[in-house]
Amino acid sequence: MVFEKTLNDLVSGIRSHKRDTALFISQSIAEIKNELQSPDFFTKSNALQKLTFLQMMGYTMSWAAFAAVEVMSSPRFALKRVGYLAACQGLDQPENSPVVLLTTNLLQKELRGANVVNTTTGKGGENIYHAGLAINCLSNIATEDLGQALLTELLHMLNHPSPYIRKKALLCLYKVFLKYPQGLRLSYDKIKLCLEDPHPSVVSCAVNVITELAEKNPKNYLPLAPAFFKLLTSSANNWMLIKVVKLLGSLVPEEPRLARKLLEPLSGMVKSTHAKSLLYESVHAITLCLPYVKKADGSQPANIPNVVELCVETLRSFVSDSDQNLKYLGLVGFGSLLLSQPRVLHSHPECRGLILTCLSDEDVTIRTRALGLLKFMATKRNLVDLISQLLSHVEAASGEYRCQLVEEIIRMCSSNKYELVMDFSWYVDVLVILAGVRGIDNQGEMIAKQWMDVAWRVLPVRCYAVRRSLEILICRGPGVGGNIDDANESDRHFLPEVLPAAAWIVGEYSQLIPDGVDEEGLNTTFDASSKGPYHALIQALTAPTDAAGMNPLPCPTQAVFVQNAMKVFSAACQRNVETQNSHGMSVEKLVCSDEELHACVETLMKNLVIYAESTDPEVKERAFTSYQLLLSIGFPSSTSFATAAATASTCRGAAVTLTYLLTPEPMKPISAKAQKRLAAEGPPSPVSVRDLEKGVDWDVFWFAKEETPWFDKDGNVKGSVENISFTKQLSNSTSGEVKKEAVGTTEPIPAMQPFGDISSAVAEQVPFGNVSHMTSGASMGQAPSSSNQRVGDPFYLNSRPSPTNALFPSKGTGMEGGAVDATNAATTRFGVLTLDSGGESEEDSGMKQKKKKKKAKKIPKQRPGVAIADSDDEDDDHVPRTKRGSIGKGDRAKEFANLALVDLTTPLGEDDVMPRNEHYVVPDRPPVRPDAAHQKQKKRKKDKEKKKSSRKEKSPTAAVTGDLLGFDAMSFGAPAVAPAPLPAAAAPTPSSNPINSAFDDLLGLEMPPSVEAPAVIQADEAKARKAAKKTSKKAKKKSKQ
Amino acid sequence: MISFILMVNKQGQTRLSSYYEWMDMQERVALESEIIRKCLSRSELQCSFLEYRGFKVIYRRYASLFFIVGTKADFDVRVKGIASDSDNYENELGMLEFIHILVETMDRWAGSICELDIMYQLEQVHFLLDEMVMNGYVIDTNKSNILRSIDLIEREGSKNEGMFR
């Protein structure tokens, strides 16, 4: 005989195999697999025990689930326990685990077992521990089906003489309700009764459960408030009081009157209790009550200031305590107090100091909590002070906490549209400092956004923001030439997200650059060869790597840089700036010297080519466009031969063009609403072409007057527009032709209007629909065929099958009528499409409405007051439920939501009946057991019962027969006819000891017949009868009608 | 409610774990190692509460063993009126007290409890724990009540001993 390793051997083995633990464990698992095959329960349970240990170490054991269930069914307690433990610890998620269903009968038997011993022998035997195990296990593996099957048993156990069982069953019920919310309505009365249990620990558990339930849907439990209020004032059990206080706290939002009532006893408790935990809980509950204490006429009760004072005092003593735990709780308490009394800290300056000292606590949990309180302390006056303190903390902080600090600083400053910030240049400075902080990568975007926001919202600070942006961009590292003080600048670091923001500000407000530079002496040399601020900036913006020449910038940043370099360049090209000199005379002054401009052009021409080779499409596109623009203005690809003056004059000549093209209307901060309105009014493009036409000086496009492959010298398009087809795959050149057309002609062209009202020459540009329909001449003849070809092609808008086309015969006439009609056709086509889809959607919505109506009809039909989670329950509540879709992983929230939907305020409807399980007896199965006759007898009896019950209440459930799962539905009939009222009825006959036949049960093959007799709770019986009578009466009425 | 209870030694090895909320294995391992790492990095002077991944972790150290209780953290749900996917949290000090009772109970059961006791008698410790906590809620804090059942088991265990060996 092979001796297996025991758990102890395994543990010592793991300890002695320090080097190759994994190998040892995999060997052990292999052994365990073998051992689990053994028929011997002891071997099996030993293996399972080891496996449970390994599971704790992180090895999955869901594959042994079946073995666990087998061992669970062992008659010996010691072995059984191993099985239960394994099932609790190592099963798959219950919904996904196939073995959970197998445990139903086993658990049922165990639960019933507890009653058996107690009622027959009268003494609390060991069986209550068996049942205890089973309950414990059930609470871990509960599923909806299990809950439904075992609810009756569990409720039954609430009447068990032993408090040990009662409290366990009570707690288990909560878990069952989570999975099977309908059960709550059925058993709520029983749970309420437990609040009056003679045994305090049971009461405590009931409070636990109700607290937890009230968390989900407090409304249901308002009627219990008086009972809890009584407990609050009378109980001395701190464990329970904590829960009661919690529960009452969660009821307050539902019933504000309760808040005022609670203040008195709670503050009494604060004064009297010695237990810190209860003290804290009471204070916390008071803070929860405070938002609701207002009376109906808006006045505050007179005792509020005292209560608040008491809270502050208590919390202050917590925070100033040397015990870190109390300190933490004090801060948490302050957090919830401040939510209702935000000004409390203003009147208690000593608390402010305390909280600030917590910021430098060495415990990060405490620091984080203190940080959360700061926003309540900030005022206009102390903001600067507070932030400067925080900034000093930022330097000292590290990791996550540093990020939180930065976030908090920004949140404090930007709250309520910068309510507290008095001096925005100070805020810009703060942002620059933050942008230089290392290790806060997630906050970069936030800072960048703030920065742009401030620059474009706050006019007075714009110039300063430009200046700081210049600094960042130009001095973001040691220059390529390295003539900047290296020691000082080498550790200059800026968050990468900030760079594009800075570039955008500089570009957008490039006309402010001179002011920004003038303001103070700014070292604007980027490169040894840089000629001035503009040149330095352009150098900085077009340098393909970062200034240190180390890291290439990310592509989006490069794209922004290129664009803004051009904007800066266009600003540099401005002919002159009018400034007021000291005598009030207007003085014209060149923005930028000839040499600098020349250098700018040189740099741009040199670097844009590099960018134009970028692999990022955005960068490439922008650089290429910019480069071509410069070329078209008249710069040769190499400016080295041109004189500075010549280049400069070219630049200045092109200034208007550049400004027009590159610098649109300055961006204004408009609200989202205004933006929406704008979008609703017209085409999404902010610049309407028609408006522009008036103001456009078409001479700006002088350079476009040259002959190109597509335009002649007058800017007219070569060839005829007629052969432009949008439907055929075209070479790039022709599509380019059309695009260029708008730019290329000297007269204003209406072609770019997006829809409708289109002159004949460019009707082809209508971007919608099948354009070939509208083209005149040759293409018209082809139109029908080409459209036919595409019928059914989802890519095209009009790809609807022919019927829709047939609906609109006018299409043909439109085509014949030449170009003008063609546009009509275009509009009708467009109309067709919208109509078409509109009609469809109408139909859709119509259907939906119908559906809704159907639903609406259904709802009144629904039994009164039954709130059930899923809609499909409405109909098949009376049909035995098959296995429902399992609740997926992480659906806790859904579970809770289901539970919250349960409405306890309405009385139980007649259909709200306890689920009852009966085993389906296979009719023609060959008898396996000798006492088959006995079984048959029982079967007959059962049939009789069924008949009886059906006669009695004519419930629809009786009609359902032969159901596979044998859930013979929930009916009160059966309990009413149950022969024996006592739980003893459930006692299995000695011959069919549940333990001996446990195995058979697992497979659901056979069931001791006596178990079929339903367990009845005596107290419930009278009620059940009444209900049954009611049902039958109603049924009769119905039939009369 | 309590989501999990862990006992972990100073080397970061789990000596007992009990989850009252289903988590898959990878999650468990990741959670354990992360929490243990955090607990180990804290000094005696720091408070016994951690906030981690939506859990409020309450821990206490006894000699070389950390007792860690994870409860669902509060997000001030009720105040803000945000719906209910977070549980009611347990009173932190109450949990500290609970840990202490747990240790005292184990002490009384095994003389002076040590890491090895827990390892070699995992089964019983689990049982003891189950007597104190069920389904994430403290059900009993009375030492003699708790120990009564475990004594019973040991008695029965010794009875069976003869049967098998």
Side-chain angles (χ1 to χ4, degrees), chain A residues 445-465:
Chain A
E445 208 164 309
M446 203 172 169
I447 295 171
K449 255 192 199 136
Q450 283 284 305
W451 202 357
M452 283 169 69
D453 200 43
V454 168
W456 91 53
R457 272 175 200 271
V458 192
L459 264 176
V461 88
R462 223 175 245 178
C463 183
Y464 187 65

Side-chain angles (χ1 to χ4, degrees), chain A residues 609-734:
Chain A
V609 179
I610 302 173
Y611 271 122
E613 285 159 13
S614 166
T615 49
D616 183 68
E618 187 76 4
V619 178
K620 183 191 168 88
E621 223 162 56
R622 290 191 192 198
F624 182 75
T625 315
S626 307
Y627 185 67
Q628 290 301 323
L629 183 64
L630 289 179
L631 278 186
S632 66
I633 285 172
F635 299 120
S637 52
S638 160
T639 50
S640 50
F641 304 113
T643 62
T647 321
S649 73
T650 321
C651 287
R652 299 213 166 95
V656 189
T657 317
L658 284 173
T659 319
Y660 174 69
L661 284 178
L662 291 168
T663 324
E665 285 282 292
M667 200 155 162
K668 286 170 193 142
I670 45 173
S671 71
K673 236 189 217 167
Q675 265 171 14
K676 212 188 221 171
R677 209 166 47 229
L678 272 182
E681 270 169 11
S685 101
V687 187
S688 144
V689 175
R690 200 186 293 179
D691 289 347
L692 268 182
E693 277 161 29
K694 295 173 203 153
V696 170
D697 175 12
W698 290 100
D699 290 336
V700 157
F701 298 109
W702 51 269
F703 56 85
K705 277 194 187 169
E706 287 155 28
E707 193 167 0
T708 65
W710 313 299
F711 297 103
D712 59 21
K713 277 208 167 159
D714 299 326
N716 293 326
V717 183
K718 285 180 181 173
S720 92
V721 268
E722 267 82 67
N723 41 19
I724 297 171
S725 165
F726 282 85
T727 53
K728 288 179 193 153
Q729 183 71 41
L730 296 174
S731 66
N732 286 336
S733 62
T734 34

Side-chain angles (χ1 to χ4, degrees), chain B residues 12 31 34 41 55 64 71 93 99 104 107 113 128 134 142 148 151:
Chain B
L31 184 96
E34 189 66 14
S41 68
F55 291 106
S64 66
T71 69
L93 296 175
I99 293 177
E104 276 185 9
D107 243 6
I113 189 87
L128 190 148
M134 199 187 102
N142 182 328
R148 192 183 307 139
D151 284 344

Side-chain angles (χ1 to χ4, degrees), chain B residues 5 18 29 33 35 37 50 56 58 63 87 96 114 123-125 127 130 142 144 156 160:
Chain B
I5 295 177
S18 190
V29 173
S33 62
I35 286 180
R37 206 174 51 75
L50 279 175
K56 184 169 276 182
I58 296 135
D87 261 302
L96 277 182
C114 73
E123 205 66 54
Q124 284 87 333
V125 178
F127 192 82
D130 284 346
N142 182 328
S144 45
E156 211 214 349
N160 286 342

Side-chain angles (χ1 to χ4, degrees), chain A residues 383-395:
Chain A
L383 182 75
V384 175
D385 207 29
L386 208 58
I387 296 286
S388 65
Q389 281 195 37
L390 284 184
L391 284 177
S392 67
H393 280 303
V394 169
E395 274 160 39

Side-chain angles (χ1 to χ4, degrees), chain A residues 55-56 76-77 81 93 136 164 167 171 212 243 246 277 281 284 324-325 328 363 892, chain B residues 15 22 28 42 45 47-48 51 87 89-91 123 130-131 135 137 139-140 153 156 160:
Chain A
Q55 192 263 353
M56 186 188 74
R76 296 215 165 274
F77 188 78
R81 214 180 65 209
Q93 189 171 25
N136 197 6
Y164 176 85
K167 65 187 176 193
L171 279 177
E212 217 46 56
K243 286 284 174 186
K246 257 184 210 302
S277 49
E281 203 58 53
H284 189 249
Q324 295 278 345
N325 297 335
Y328 168 83
D363 186 348
R892 263 176 86 78
Chain B
R15 287 308 175 216
W22 195 84
R28 286 185 193 196
R42 294 169 71 86
L45 285 176
C47 72
S48 316
E51 281 159 43
D87 261 302
Y89 60 100
E90 296 283 328
N91 185 299
E123 205 66 54
D130 284 346
E131 289 299 303
N135 198 6
Y137 300 97
I139 46 170
D140 212 330
I153 290 162
E156 211 214 349
N160 286 342

Side-chain angles (χ1 to χ4, degrees), chain B residues 9-20:
Chain B
N9 72 2
K10 256 166 95 181
Q11 285 80 45
Q13 292 159 318
T14 312
R15 287 308 175 216
L16 180 136
S17 68
S18 190
Y19 287 80
Y20 301 101

Side-chain angles (χ1 to χ4, degrees), chain B residues 111-127:
Chain B
S112 115
I113 189 87
C114 73
E115 203 185 317
L116 288 182
D117 289 329
I118 297 174
M119 279 178 87
Y120 286 112
Q121 304 179 64
L122 188 66
E123 205 66 54
Q124 284 87 333
V125 178
H126 262 297
F127 192 82

